[in-house]
Every structure is written in C-alpha cells, then in structure tokens.
Amino acid sequence: MGTGMSAMHKWCLAAAILVLTGGCAGLEQALEDRKPKVSMEGMRLAAVDFDRARVVFDVVIDNPNPVGIDLAGFDYVLRLGGNEFLSGKRDRAVRLPPDGRESIAIPLDIPFARVAELPGDLRGRQSVDYGLDLGLDFDLPALGRQRLGTSTTGNIPIPQRPGISLEGVRVAELGLSGAELVLELGIDNPNDFGIDLDRLVYALAINGRRWAGSSRETGLSLAPEGSTAVELPLKVNFGAIGMGAYELLRGGASADYRFTADIAGDAGLQGFGAFDFPVERSGRINLAR
C-alpha cells in the first residue's frame, strides 16, 4: 500500500483536526467555507424574433475544495410579470475540478403568444420583467447532497412587428390599356430599437379581384419609435382584369380593397437576425386621381 496521502484524505484529516481543536463551531464554519460559491452572471439573448425569444442564463460555480466535486442537476422557476411561466428540473452531471471554476448555460425558450396570455395585461408590451430562481444539487465530500440556490431579475424585450397601413391609392397615369398607381403606405416602428426594411413583395385586390402585384427593394431604415410614409408603384393591365377597373379609376370611386405584402429586413437588437413576415390589410378606400 502506498504511503502518499490523497487530497481527499488530507481534507478529511483537516476536518478531524478542527473537531479536536476548534470544536463543532469551527467545524461547521470550515464545512460552510467548503461549499461551492454560485453566482448568476445574468441573462443574454441568444436569439429573438417577433414570435419568440431564446434566453440564456449563465451561472458560474467556484469550487474552493482541494478535491473535485459533482453537480448532479438543477431546478428552476422562471417568472414573467410576476407570474410563473416556466419551471423544470434537469439532471446534468458536471464534474468541478479542485480549486476550479465552471460555467453552465441554461437556455430557455419564451413564446410571446404565451406571454400575452398571462394575467396583468402584457399584450402589446415591448418588454416584460423576469425573475429566475435556481436551485443546484451538489455531491460534496463530508457533507453529502447539498442544494444551493441563487436568483436573478431583469427585463426581456418583446419585439413588436412594424405597423403597416394603406393610407391611399393614387392614380399617377390612366390610359385605355392600363394605369400606373401609387400605393401610399404608413409604416410605424413601435420598438425602442431601429428596424431596416430591405424588401417588400406586395399585391392589391379591388372589390375581391386581384389587380396587380410587384416587389421593391426599399433600403428603408425605421428609427426607434419612428414612423414614415412610403410610396409603392403598381402597374395595372386592363386587358388582364377588364375595363371595369378603368371606369372605377376614371370616376375616382371608392372600393373595397385587400392589400397583402411580404416584408423582409433585420432589426438592431442583439440576437435578432433577418426577418420575413406577411401583412394583410383590408377595408374601403378612395381611388383618387
């Protein structure tokens, strides 16, 4: 049998000496000092769009012991707006090195449709307060299974889609074979970060019949909580849709409309990549000359 003494044996010997020299109070303090130190470094947005967010909570664990210890797993409760939103338990074995530090990441998915269903009128909010309570289970020498808790609070952004409205349809040119229209859009950015609209694919239907469609590279930048007006050109061919369209445009009549668009761009928010979403608006509008 070897004569060397392992780190574990040295640790236990030191504990025994404390019992003999310092009594129970000294031992209790020594054992307390040997517990891992758990700290929450906060939350980061790993990915976010107009429908959901993936948030990651980073936890740092310091092991002050001269021997390795084991993290057996953890449990968590996430509250949004004061309401319990997610909870769970995960078995995750992590070996912490002697006198070492280890980081673990806890990713959680947050669908915004579920946030809007919570009590407290959270629908349409640009952000929501969160609180995370975390409990970690450790296997510690001389102490056995120990549960240590930590918590953190903060704020999670809830991006809102830009508001799109068809403000008017103007006749730029009118002939017997067709017309050139200008669709006048109003676009609002309700967010506290900028949004770039790169491309719009759009179509207009009048009185239940599709008149025409087109696309445009916009290169449009929306300031935080800003609004702007955009004009979209649209060519109408009477040979394809009939001369009834000519009569409507010539008389400047009002009509039922349906405007559809697919909007692509990106947003100036951490974790927010390129987006692409559909828009549909309908109502009644004047076909002004």
Side-chain angles (χ1 to χ4, degrees):
M1 183 173 63
T3 58
M5 184 178 293
S6 69
M8 172 67 80
H9 291 153
K10 292 178 180 177
W11 193 92
C12 293
L13 178 60
I17 293 174
L18 278 171
V19 171
L20 296 175
T21 60
C24 292
L27 176 60
E28 288 177 1
Q29 184 60 51
L31 293 177
E32 186 68 27
D33 292 342
R34 294 296 93 191
K35 289 183 179 179
K37 306 301 186 290
V38 179
S39 60
M40 189 86 70
E41 290 205 331
M43 183 274 293
R44 53 189 167 91
L45 282 172
V48 63
D49 56 28
F50 295 120
D51 298 316
R52 66 180 58 242
R54 165 159 282 206
V55 297
V56 178
F57 293 92
D58 294 308
V59 182
V60 175
I61 306 170
D62 289 289
N63 176 20
N65 296 283
V67 295
I69 61 175
D70 293 315
L71 170 66
F74 60 86
D75 59 81
Y76 62 90
V77 176
L78 176 68
R79 295 178 177 84
L80 298 181
N83 305 286
E84 184 172 321
F85 186 76
L86 291 173
S87 62
K89 182 176 178 63
R90 299 182 186 178
D91 296 325
R92 181 173 178 180
V94 177
R95 182 68 174 176
L96 304 173
D99 296 312
R101 165 175 288 197
E102 192 74 26
S103 295
I104 63 171
I106 303 175
L108 298 175
D109 287 323
I110 301 175
F112 296 141
R114 278 195 57 203
V115 176
E117 295 172 355
L118 293 173
D121 193 23
L122 298 177
R123 185 179 299 275
R125 292 269 297 272
Q126 292 191 34
S127 63
V128 62
D129 295 332
Y130 72 80
L132 180 74
D133 296 323
L134 182 67
L136 299 99
D137 294 322
F138 293 93
D139 288 322
L140 302 178
L143 292 176
R145 180 65 65 96
Q146 294 285 314
R147 184 179 187 275
L148 301 179
T150 187
S151 62
T152 186
T153 60
N155 191 268
I156 296 174
I158 305 178
Q160 304 292 319
R161 294 186 180 187
I164 311 290
S165 59
L166 181 61
E167 302 293 337
V169 177
R170 190 175 77 250
V171 182
E173 291 187 20
L174 179 63
L176 293 177
S177 62
E180 292 188 6
L181 308 181
V182 177
L183 309 185
E184 300 170 341
L185 298 186
I187 305 179
D188 299 312
N189 176 18
N191 301 286
D192 58 5
F193 53 85
I195 291 179
D196 293 329
L197 301 183
D198 300 326
R199 188 168 184 267
L200 284 86
V201 179
Y202 54 95
L204 178 69
I206 296 293
N207 290 338
R209 184 167 187 179
R210 187 182 188 275
W211 273 21
S214 186
S215 63
R216 181 182 178 186
E217 305 293 329
T218 64
L220 180 65
S221 294
L222 301 176
E225 300 180 346
S227 60
T228 189
V230 176
E231 294 186 343
L232 301 177
L234 192 66
K235 290 186 177 182
V236 177
N237 184 346
F238 296 148
I241 63 174
M243 292 303 293
Y246 171 79
E247 297 298 333
L248 279 174
L249 294 174
R250 187 181 67 168
S254 63
D256 294 328
Y257 79 90
R258 179 172 174 266
F259 172 77
T260 57
D262 191 80
I263 299 177
D266 57 72
L269 179 67
Q270 174 193 354
F272 205 127
F275 62 78
D276 189 326
F277 66 88
V279 169
E280 180 177 330
R281 300 289 181 267
S282 60
R284 194 153 183 90
I285 202 164
N286 289 322
L287 304 174
R289 293 191 61 184

